[in-house]
Amino acid sequence: MSFIKLSIGSITAKRFIKYFLQTALILNFALGEVFAKESEDSEYKYNYNQFNGKCSVYDPYEKLNRKIFAFNSVVDTFLLRPVAKIYGRFTNDYTKNRVGSFVDNISEPLSTVNYTLQGNPEGILKSFWRFAINSTFGIAGMFDIASKFGLKPPQQTLGSTLAYYGTGPGPYIVLPFYGGINARDVSDPLISDFLLNPLTYSLDKNFMLTVTGVSIIDMRYKLMPLTDYVSKNSSDPYIAVREAIFNQREAKIIYPAGYKCQTFK
């Protein structure tokens, strides 16, 4: 009976992963179709080929993206940025570091799952033991003990896994309230970071929502120097932010051997 239960559980897990990946790809396609309608009469025309050996950003929906970017900027100015400034003013560096470590630790099992999907034994072991050590000796992840033992593998998401198997970044998209992201990664903040993290199913939902809120404020505070610099010095903040987001993400991505950047005209 236990063997039957194990087999059924294994099949269910495989089907879940299969349907989940299919849903993520369908979501990417659906969003692309929505943005495509807006891009047909776009006034922004570029040649998105490989540049200096690096994949260059592909932004065919810039006309719509700029509108959403402007909306997000208003929300940020009157909501996120003020809250992040208050957070920064009334917490010292020690507290901020503890919050940052705690939030990072909560997302560590997500990396373990994605390293498993990638078939990466080293990544699996390092991310698993990093979470185990920091969650215990690091007091629920508030202290990063594991890094002292060389256990600091790059964080992974479903987008990282898709890239590992050769999926390119695709079009650049600006999501309302969230910000810029490429089409390959668009399912990460919407569904996969939540559904693929085992802690989602073991911790209280309200607690996870609180962690999400804290992580957003912490991240916004960390981005304050960059966004303030861009707003004061850039002649086109949209382009500056787009390039920063795209280049930072691509720098963390590992593509399969022989991968060539997509070219668009």
Side-chain angles (χ1 to χ4, degrees), residues 175-225:
L175 299 176
F177 300 104
Y178 180 81
I181 193 170
N182 62 58
R184 180 196 57 222
D185 298 333
V186 76
S187 65
D188 288 343
L190 297 179
I191 54 173
S192 62
D193 284 357
F194 178 78
L195 292 179
L196 289 181
N197 191 335
L199 293 183
T200 299
Y201 309 99
S202 57
L203 297 178
D204 180 72
K205 183 173 68 173
N206 292 328
F207 174 76
M208 291 298 290
L209 289 174
T210 301
V211 170
T212 300
V214 171
S215 66
I216 290 173
I217 296 172
D218 182 64
M219 179 59 69
R220 182 61 188 91
Y221 173 77
K222 291 176 179 177
L223 291 174
M224 195 86 70

Side-chain angles (χ1 to χ4, degrees), residues 105-210:
N105 191 61
I106 289 291
S107 63
E108 194 63 45
L110 176 65
S111 292
T112 305
V113 170
N114 278 285
Y115 276 123
T116 302
L117 294 175
Q118 296 169 21
N120 185 335
E122 181 180 357
I124 295 171
L125 290 174
K126 283 187 174 182
S127 59
F128 172 81
W129 283 112
R130 174 179 174 82
F131 177 74
I133 292 173
N134 285 345
S135 296
T136 52
F137 299 104
I139 311 176
M142 289 191 292
F143 296 88
D144 185 6
I145 306 298
S147 291
K148 298 179 180 179
F149 298 94
L151 298 174
K152 196 173 182 179
Q155 291 186 331
Q156 301 292 298
T157 66
L158 179 62
S160 307
T161 299
L162 293 175
Y164 179 83
Y165 289 108
T167 304
Y172 177 79
I173 296 172
V174 181
L175 299 176
F177 300 104
Y178 180 81
I181 193 170
N182 62 58
R184 180 196 57 222
D185 298 333
V186 76
S187 65
D188 288 343
L190 297 179
I191 54 173
S192 62
D193 284 357
F194 178 78
L195 292 179
L196 289 181
N197 191 335
L199 293 183
T200 299
Y201 309 99
S202 57
L203 297 178
D204 180 72
K205 183 173 68 173
N206 292 328
F207 174 76
M208 291 298 290
L209 289 174
T210 301

